[in-house]
Every structure is written in C-alpha cells, then in structure tokens.
C-alpha cells in the first residue's frame, strides 16, 4: 500500500484560491443549493404541524406575543416566563432573557395571527440558511484540493451530515426552538465575517461580526459559549498572529458586554438553588450519584451523536436512573472525555482538526452538562445542536483525509467514502423524517414519547394531559370515559415515580370529574393543594367542583370542597357566601349559614350579595328586624337590584307594614317585571 502525504486543513490566506469571495460564490453555488434543499426537504412535512410542547411559553399562551406589535416592548423588557405566568417565575436558575425570537413570533402574530404553519415555514428557512452558512465557513477553513470534486470535500460532507442529523429534529420541528437556530445563525454569521476579516481586514467586517453576535446573544444566553469557540477556531485556522486574533475577537466581547448591561438592568438576580425535582433532576440524588449520573449522560450524548436512537423529548426523572461510580458506562464515559482532553491538548501545537473539534465540542457543550449549573433536566437532545458541528466535521475528516492513507489508490478511497457517507446520510435522513413526525402536535408527541420514556414522571403526566384534552373535544360519552380511564393509568404512573408532583394530581381530579366520580375528583384537587397551597388551578377546580356537586344535590361533596378551600383561602368572601347558601338553602342548617355569612360580612361589610343572603337567613329564622336592616343596607349599596327591593317588600309585609311593602314591591316589579309573576 503506497503511503500518501497526510492532508491537513489549510488556514485562511490571501494566496489560496478559496480566499476570493467571487470565486467561492461561483464554485460553490451548486453544493450550497444542494445543502439548502436537503436540509429543507427532510423537514418539509413539518410545515403542516401544529404547536407543541413549550410553544405555549413562547406563542400560544404568552400574553405579550399574542399582542403582536403592541407586545414587543414587554417582550424586550421582561424575562421570557413573565409573558406566560404573568409575573417573574424564578423556576430556572439564571433567568431566561431571549427577546429576539419572541419578537419574531409577535411579528408573525401581527401579520398572520397564531398560525403554526407560518412559524414552521420560517424555522425551515432559518435552518436551511444556517446549514448553507456553515458550509461556506467550513469551505474557508477546509478548502478542498483542486483535484477533488466538491461532493467529496470535507466541508460538504460535514455540513450534509449536520443538516440531516436526527438529533436536530427537536430544534427544527418545535417552533419554540427558533431561539436555538437564531443563536447559532448569528454566531456563525459573526465567525464568517471574522474569517472575511482574516482574508481582507476591514472595519466593516468587524462591525458586521459585532451585529451578528449581538443578535445571537439576544436570541439565547447559551451563545456565550461561542465567546470561547470562535476565538479557538480563529486560533486554529485564521493563520494570524495572536495580536490580530485578539483584535478579531474584540467585537464578540463588546457585544457580550452590551448584552449583559441590558440584561442586568432589566432582570432581577435569580441565582438561588432550585429544590423541585422537575426543575432540578438531581434534587433526590446524593453527591456521588449526581456526578456519576452527569458523566453517564455525557456518555449518552456521544452515543446519540454516533447512533441517534431512540430519540425522545423527555429526559426528566426518571427516564434516566440515578447511577453510581461503579456503573461501567460511567467509567467508560469518564475515560472517553479524559482521552478527548489529552488528544485536544496534544494537538494544540500542530493545530490539528481533531484537537480543534474536541475543544469546540467541549466549549459549546459545557453549559449543558449540569457541571456548571443545573439545566433543569438530566439531558436534552437540542443541547447537541451546536456541539454536533464538531462531531460532523470530525466524522467527515475521519472518512476523508485520515482514512485516505489506508487505501492503495485514490479511487478505492473515493468508493469507500461514497459508500459509507451515502449509507449514513440516507439512514440519518430516514430517521430524521420519521422522528420529526412525533412533533405533529401535543397529543402525538406525548403518546409517542411516553412509550420511549416510560419511567419519566413528566412524560406520563403529559400523556395523561393529552388524553384528557382529546376527551374534552369529544361528544360521545363512552369515548370520553375510555380516554379518561386511559389517562388515569398514565397519571397514576407519574405519581408513582414522583409522589409530590402536583400537576398529575390535579389532572387526576379532572379525569374523575369527567367520569362523574366527584368524591374521587375532590381527593385529587385537595391533595394537589396539599402539595402546593398556592396552586391556583387546584383552587379554581375545587370551587368549580363544589358548584357542580351543589347543583347535582351531592351536598356533602360540595361542603368538603368549600371547607377545604377556606383552609387555604381563609379570607375568600365568595366561598363563605357559597357555604352560607349551601347550609341555608340546601342543608337547612340556619345556624351554620348565619355563622359563615356573618364571617363574610366581617371581611367585606359592603358586599351586597352577602348582605342579601344574610338577610334571607335572618328572615327565615324569624328575625325580621335584622333582616330588614340588612336588606336596606344591601339596597343602599345597590339600589337597582330588583331582588333586594322585592325582599324588602316581603319583609315589610311579614312585619305588617303593607304600605311600605307595596312601595318596595312596585319598585321591584318596575325594574324587573318578571318578578311579578312569581
């Protein structure tokens, strides 16, 4: 076997053919269009998809985004979660300030309303543009040899692998993940202009690099990792001295400083530790388990880059089980990352491709390891969106220049390269198209992924929620009940994994309500309130159940609902009033009715509705003087209430004052003639 000189990447240089922008545009128009076409076609069916998963945070339930242009000011001056929750919810460490993607959603709402198909289309165009830009950057960094066709160039192979990699399905198919795409597109734009500067220095190129990086930062905070990844890339491939490299990187740090000034002026500090399992997956782990499991998940990322199956949107507890240092895959992962660091260090002096790829991967991955700060989940596939660039380059480089020396002839290597690359790209394209189908809508995603993540408390909760939502849309009672019973199975499984999870407990209440099992529904709502005494949805549902059971003459359940509510809302005048009415009208216990209504009046003395109910109780117990005084007070507060006027007239009649009775009854009948028929 003849030995050929090992190929190494060339640095940007004015004398290279690739340095000429006009030549590049002419030479690489065809591969650029192929890459754009491939990246769009593999996801083209997503245009018909609906909103799913966290799209509610960004679009459908975000009060600022829904206002269109009118909401842009609020989007630009608040944490991401404020638009959804109505106030700053410090659920995630560090906060979330990503105004630029949300502004694009607001613009879409302004022009097209809430239209998921438009949003999916925009995501496709952004992804295609990102892949083309990545190709152009890699052409600058790894210019192909003149004698080799562009289709077998490292840049083309790596970019096509990136475009078709199944790990990216969540980023492209989930509208919310536009923040990921805009972040990478902006960061790559800044790198492109810095490489242009390395070719032909100009202040204009630095200015564009600054603008692109600013847009990236305002799209997602994780862009900060590119403050390390871009200078490393310039160090390896720009061919410039250190002083020039510092000058080239300066616009990035200026953009970051400006972003931080804006962010800190608008957002409150939120660095407190989170103690809730769904926002800190390691809450129940020991110290040893935490770091062993972190390295275990870091190994899983490597596995998914090479063999992306199975894929799921849900890595919450306990899709991944807590492990200890004795687990063999933990030790293997530790060995892999230690080896990567050694190879990365050894390749710095010669500036090898493998060394660059390792540092680019580790830098852009660093924020998502859970080693720096908790990310809320064990892992997530979208966190590999940027680091996968390094993997794709290294994979293409291994198939290309590195393996070329193993073949006796160039033709043999080309056949091998074409065969392996073709098989991998075809398999990735099929997997990507198939996996992206799961993102059709919330129901499809939830039911698909609960089968893939059966031990995730969140996946089971989401499946139960999706089934109940589907049941609510049906008219057939048998079908509704069948789906509700199926949902109960998933919700119980969710609580079995995480007994203190309030959301599935609330949904259990909803499921049993749908089945007409009101006593069990009460238990679900009341237990959800025990888990979180400020749980607004549980309070609302408990009150609604009380109203329903009161109307259905299941008075004991209604009594439990209202009394439980008062434990958590002791100053709720409305609930006191409902209890007073329940005891007085339905249970005939006038003493309790009077007691609860008087408590309500003490809290809100000027509530005409409470005064009227209390006056009726006084009247029914023969206390006409108190009844009249209370009715008259209610009348002074609301003189247009015909029912109060009629009750005053009746009270006067009971007291033997027919003249006054007639006066007030006539006023009542004048305001509401239908009362005269009673």
């Amino acid at each position: 076997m003849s030995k050929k000189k090992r190929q190494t990447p060339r640095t940007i240089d004015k004398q290279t053919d690739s340095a000429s922008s006009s030549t590049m545009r002419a030479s690489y128009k065809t591969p650029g269009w192929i890459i754009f076409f491939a990246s769009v076609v593999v996801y083209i069916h997503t245009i018909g998809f609906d909103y799913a998963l966290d799209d509610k945070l960004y679009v459908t339930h975000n009060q600022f985004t829904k206002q269109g242009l009118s909401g842009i000011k609020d989007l630009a001056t608040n944490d991401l979660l404020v638009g959804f929750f109505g106030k700053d919810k410090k659920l995630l460490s560090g906060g979330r300030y990503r105004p630029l993607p949300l502004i694009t959603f607001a613009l879409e709402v302004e022009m097209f309303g809430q239209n998921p198909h438009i949003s999916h289309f925009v995501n496709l165009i952004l992804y295609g543009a990102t892949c083309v830009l990545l190709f152009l950057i890699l052409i600058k960094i790894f210019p192909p040899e003149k004698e080799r066709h562009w289709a077998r160039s490292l840049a083309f192979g790596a970019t096509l692998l990136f475009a078709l990699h199944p790990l990216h399905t969540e980023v492209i198919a989930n509208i919310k993940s536009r923040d990921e795409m805009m972040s990478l597109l902006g960061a790559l734009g800044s790198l492109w202009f810095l490489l242009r500067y390395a070719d032909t220095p100009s202040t204009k190129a630095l200015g564009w690099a600054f603008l692109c990086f600013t847009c990236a930062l305002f799209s997602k905070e994780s862009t900060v990792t590119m403050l390390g990844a871009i200078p490393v890339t310039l160090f390896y491939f720009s061919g410039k001295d250190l002083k020039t490299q510092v000058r080239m990187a300066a616009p990035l740090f200026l953009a970051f400083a400006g972003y931080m000034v804006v962010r800190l002026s608008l957002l409150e500090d939120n660095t407190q530790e989170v103690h809730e399992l769904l926002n800190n997956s390691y809450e129940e782990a020991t110290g040893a388990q935490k770091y062993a499991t972190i390295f275990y998940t870091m190994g899983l990322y490597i596995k998914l880059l090479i063999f992306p199956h199975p894929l799921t949107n849900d890595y919450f507890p306990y899709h991944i089980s807590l492990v200890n240092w004795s687990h063999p895959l933990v030790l293997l992962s530790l060995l892999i990352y230690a080896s990567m660091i050694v190879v990365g260090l050894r390749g710095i002096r010669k500036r090898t491709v493998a060394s660059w790829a390792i540092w680019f991967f580790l830098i852009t991955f660093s924020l998502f390891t859970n080693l720096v700060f908790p990310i809320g989940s064990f892992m997530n596939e979208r966190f590999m969106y940027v680091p996968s660039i390094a993997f794709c380059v290294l994979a293409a480089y291994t198939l290309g220049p590195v393996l070329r020396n193993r073949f006796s002839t160039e033709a043999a290597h080309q056949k091998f390269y074409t065969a392996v690359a073709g098989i991998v790209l075809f398999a990735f394209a099929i997997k990507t198209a198939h996996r992206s189908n799961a993102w059709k809508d919330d129901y499809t995603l939830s039911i698909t992924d609960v089968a893939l993540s059966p031990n995730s408390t969140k996946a089971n909760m989401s499946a139960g929620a999706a089934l109940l939502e589907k049941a609510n849309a049906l008219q057939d009672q048998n079908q509704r009940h069948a789906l509700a019973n199926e949902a109960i199975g998933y919700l119980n499984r969710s609580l079995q994994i995480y007994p203190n999870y309030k959301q599935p407990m609330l949904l259990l209440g909803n499921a049993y309500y749908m089945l007409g099992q009101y006593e069990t529904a009460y238990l679900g709502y009341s237990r959800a309130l025990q888990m979180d005494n400020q749980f607004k949805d549980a309070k609302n549902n408990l009150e609604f159940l009380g109203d329903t059971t009161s109307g259905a003459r299941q008075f004991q359940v209604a009594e439990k609902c209202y009394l439980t509510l008062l434990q958590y809302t002791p100053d709720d005048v409305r609930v006191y009033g409902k209890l007073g009415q329940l005891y007085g009208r339905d249970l005939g216990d006038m003493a309790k009715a009077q007691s609860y209504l008087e408590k309500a009046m003490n809290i809100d003395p000027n509530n005409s509705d409470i005064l009227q109910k209390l006056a009726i109780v006084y009247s029914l117990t023969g206390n006409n003087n108190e009844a009249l005084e209370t009715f008259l007070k209610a009348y002074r507060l609301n003189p247009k209430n015909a029912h109060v006027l009629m009750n005053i007239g009746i009270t006067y009649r009971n007291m033997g004052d027919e003249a006054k009775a007639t006066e007030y009854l006539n006023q009542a009948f004048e305001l509401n003639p239908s009362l005269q028929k009673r």
Side-chain angles (χ1 to χ4, degrees):
M1 181 181 294
S2 63
K3 292 288 184 179
K4 296 186 179 180
K5 184 178 178 181
R6 178 169 175 159
Q7 302 295 310
T8 57
R10 286 176 280 176
T11 57
I12 303 300
D13 187 89
K14 292 184 181 181
Q15 276 65 51
T16 62
D17 291 338
S18 62
S20 169
S21 298
S22 59
T23 302
M24 181 182 293
R25 285 194 296 270
S27 302
Y28 300 112
K29 186 175 292 185
T30 298
W33 277 111
I34 290 174
I35 287 168
F36 182 84
F37 180 78
S39 60
V40 169
V41 166
V42 75
Y43 289 105
I44 194 72
H45 56 295
T46 64
I47 293 177
F49 289 2
D50 203 345
Y51 296 109
L53 202 63
D54 287 342
D55 289 344
K56 61 177 69 71
L57 292 175
Y58 283 65
V59 188
T60 59
H61 290 63
N62 189 301
Q63 60 177 315
F64 302 146
T65 305
K66 291 193 296 183
Q67 295 173 23
L69 289 176
S70 302
I72 289 179
K73 180 180 178 182
D74 289 316
L75 291 172
T77 55
N78 284 288
D79 186 287
L80 161 67
L81 296 178
V82 174
F84 179 75
F85 288 104
K87 58 181 179 179
D88 191 4
K89 298 285 284 188
K90 296 178 173 59
L91 298 177
L92 301 171
S93 179
R96 297 293 181 269
Y97 183 59
R98 306 167 188 174
L100 204 53
L102 275 75
I103 289 172
T104 68
F105 295 134
L107 292 173
E108 289 172 15
V109 170
E110 181 70 27
M111 293 185 287
F112 306 104
Q114 286 194 356
N115 188 328
H117 313 307
I118 294 294
S119 297
H120 281 297
F121 175 76
V122 173
N123 275 18
L124 274 189
I125 300 303
L126 288 173
Y127 186 56
T130 301
C131 293
V132 172
L133 182 55
L134 176 62
F135 170 67
L136 295 177
I137 288 172
L138 294 181
I139 282 291
K140 271 187 170 291
I141 293 176
F142 307 107
E145 303 152 43
K146 294 180 181 179
E147 68 274 10
R148 291 177 62 79
H149 192 269
W150 54 259
R152 289 186 294 274
S153 70
L154 187 155
F156 183 75
T159 306
L160 207 53
L161 185 62
F162 177 86
L164 300 177
H165 204 296
L167 269 184
H168 300 164
T169 51
E170 178 175 352
V171 175
I172 292 82
N174 188 203
I175 292 171
K176 166 264 169 198
S177 290
R178 186 178 298 176
D179 54 3
E180 301 276 359
M181 278 189 281
M182 292 181 65
S183 170
L184 179 57
L185 184 60
L188 290 179
S190 64
L191 177 56
W192 165 256
F193 283 108
L194 293 179
L195 292 175
R196 290 277 300 272
Y197 179 89
D199 181 22
T200 306
S202 71
T203 305
K204 184 178 179 181
L206 295 180
W208 278 109
F210 170 83
L211 180 61
C212 288
F213 204 72
T214 298
C215 291
L217 286 165
F218 279 88
S219 295
K220 194 171 185 186
E221 304 88 342
S222 58
T223 305
V224 68
T225 62
M226 298 300 279
L227 286 173
I230 291 177
V232 163
T233 303
L234 297 176
F235 170 78
Y236 275 79
F237 304 122
S238 71
K240 301 300 179 182
D241 58 68
L242 186 59
K243 183 178 179 180
T244 304
Q245 291 178 34
V246 171
R247 187 186 309 122
M248 293 167 67
L252 310 182
F253 289 91
L254 286 174
F256 176 68
Y259 167 78
M260 288 305 295
V261 168
V262 174
R263 179 188 175 93
L264 293 174
S265 67
L266 295 174
L267 270 61
E268 296 181 9
D269 178 55
N270 177 23
T271 56
Q272 75 270 21
E273 190 174 353
V274 178
H275 294 287
E276 206 280 322
L277 189 66
L278 271 297
N279 291 297
N280 182 359
S281 296
Y282 296 99
E283 177 63 22
E284 297 179 345
T286 65
Q289 286 177 324
K290 175 180 177 178
Y291 290 102
T293 307
I294 285 174
F295 275 97
Y296 175 76
T297 59
M298 289 169 65
L300 285 181
Y301 279 118
I302 300 293
K303 176 259 180 185
L304 289 174
L305 283 168
I306 300 169
F307 186 72
H309 178 83
L311 299 179
T312 177
N313 85 91
D314 197 307
Y315 289 89
F316 284 91
Y318 284 101
H319 170 68
I320 293 175
S321 300
L322 296 173
V323 297
N324 290 299
W325 286 105
S326 58
H327 196 291
L329 293 183
V330 175
L331 301 177
L332 177 60
S333 176
L334 191 61
L335 178 62
I336 290 172
Y337 279 92
S339 301
M340 288 170 63
I341 292 173
V342 170
V343 173
L345 289 171
R346 291 182 63 182
I348 290 177
R349 186 174 62 84
K350 294 184 178 181
R351 303 186 186 185
T352 64
V353 175
S355 177
W356 166 81
I358 287 169
W359 294 124
F360 188 97
F361 177 86
L362 292 177
I363 290 169
T364 55
F365 179 39
S366 60
L367 286 184
F368 307 115
T369 60
N370 274 306
L371 289 171
V372 180
F373 58 81
I375 60 173
S377 176
F378 286 119
M379 59 185 292
N380 201 297
E381 291 158 14
R382 69 176 181 273
F383 297 153
M384 278 290 106
Y385 184 55
V386 179
S388 66
I389 293 174
F391 167 79
C392 294
V393 169
L394 192 57
Y397 183 67
T398 301
L399 280 176
V402 171
L403 287 184
R404 191 180 308 165
N405 294 332
R406 304 296 179 184
F407 291 84
S408 57
T409 65
E410 177 68 13
H413 173 258
Q414 288 182 12
K415 289 181 180 179
F416 175 81
Y417 179 91
T418 302
V420 174
I423 292 171
V424 171
L425 292 174
F426 179 75
F428 274 22
I430 296 299
K431 176 65 177 178
T432 295
H434 179 265
R435 171 57 192 168
S436 58
N437 284 325
W439 290 89
K440 179 182 178 182
D441 51 39
D442 263 335
Y443 177 81
T444 305
L445 182 66
S446 299
I447 298 303
T448 299
D449 283 5
V450 74
L452 298 166
S453 304
N455 294 322
S456 165
T457 184
K458 190 171 184 293
N460 281 280
M461 182 279 295
S462 297
L467 286 164
L468 288 178
E469 185 175 352
K470 185 176 182 179
N472 276 323
L474 297 175
Q475 298 297 324
D476 186 271
Q477 194 76 342
N478 292 329
Q479 292 179 346
R480 284 167 57 88
H481 286 183
L483 289 176
N485 280 311
E486 188 178 353
I488 288 170
Y490 285 116
L491 297 171
N492 280 327
R493 174 60 180 154
S494 178
L495 288 165
Q496 181 183 0
I497 298 167
Y498 179 35
N500 293 321
Y501 195 2
K502 66 181 182 181
Q503 198 64 38
M505 187 62 76
L506 176 83
L507 293 173
L508 269 178
N510 291 349
Y512 284 113
Y513 177 88
M514 187 177 293
L515 294 171
Q517 299 179 29
Y518 297 141
E519 183 77 39
T520 312
Y522 161 76
L523 292 176
Y525 297 146
S526 61
R527 287 172 183 170
L529 264 179
Q530 290 174 10
M531 296 173 182
D532 178 3
N533 58 18
Q534 300 300 318
F535 196 3
K536 185 177 179 180
D537 288 342
K539 293 177 182 178
N540 291 340
N541 288 7
L542 198 58
E543 183 174 353
F544 183 77
L545 178 62
D547 296 345
T548 300
T549 50
S550 176
R553 303 190 63 78
Q554 295 187 26
F555 302 130
Q556 283 70 32
V557 178
E559 180 185 23
K560 288 181 181 179
C561 291
Y562 296 141
L563 289 174
T564 301
L565 271 175
L566 285 183
Q567 294 177 23
Y568 298 96
T569 55
D571 295 326
D572 194 328
V573 171
R574 188 180 62 258
V575 178
Y576 278 111
K578 290 182 177 184
L579 263 174
Q581 182 170 292
L582 178 72
Y583 284 122
R585 183 192 64 187
D586 301 319
L587 296 176
D589 191 333
M590 295 302 169
K592 283 188 176 181
Q594 180 176 330
S595 172
Y596 281 104
L597 290 170
E598 286 178 345
K599 288 177 181 178
M601 192 180 68
N602 290 334
I603 297 170
D604 185 4
N606 296 319
N607 189 309
S608 61
D609 181 61
I610 295 297
L611 288 168
Q612 183 179 188
K613 289 176 180 177
L614 181 59
I616 291 172
V617 171
Y618 287 148
S619 180
L620 291 173
T621 54
N623 195 343
N624 288 323
N625 289 327
E626 287 286 344
L628 180 60
E629 182 181 342
T630 307
F631 275 133
L632 288 171
K633 185 176 181 181
Y635 167 68
R636 288 192 293 270
L637 290 169
N638 188 4
K640 298 297 183 182
N641 190 322
H643 289 277
V644 171
L645 286 166
M646 185 175 73
N647 284 326
I648 293 174
I650 292 172
T651 304
Y652 272 121
R653 179 167 289 167
N654 291 338
M655 297 174 68
D657 192 335
E658 191 60 35
K660 283 285 187 181
T662 302
E663 176 187 345
Y664 280 97
L665 287 172
N666 287 337
Q667 290 183 54
F669 299 152
E670 184 178 347
L671 284 172
N672 187 352
S674 64
L675 294 177
Q676 197 167 6
K677 300 176 182 179
R678 296 186 178 184

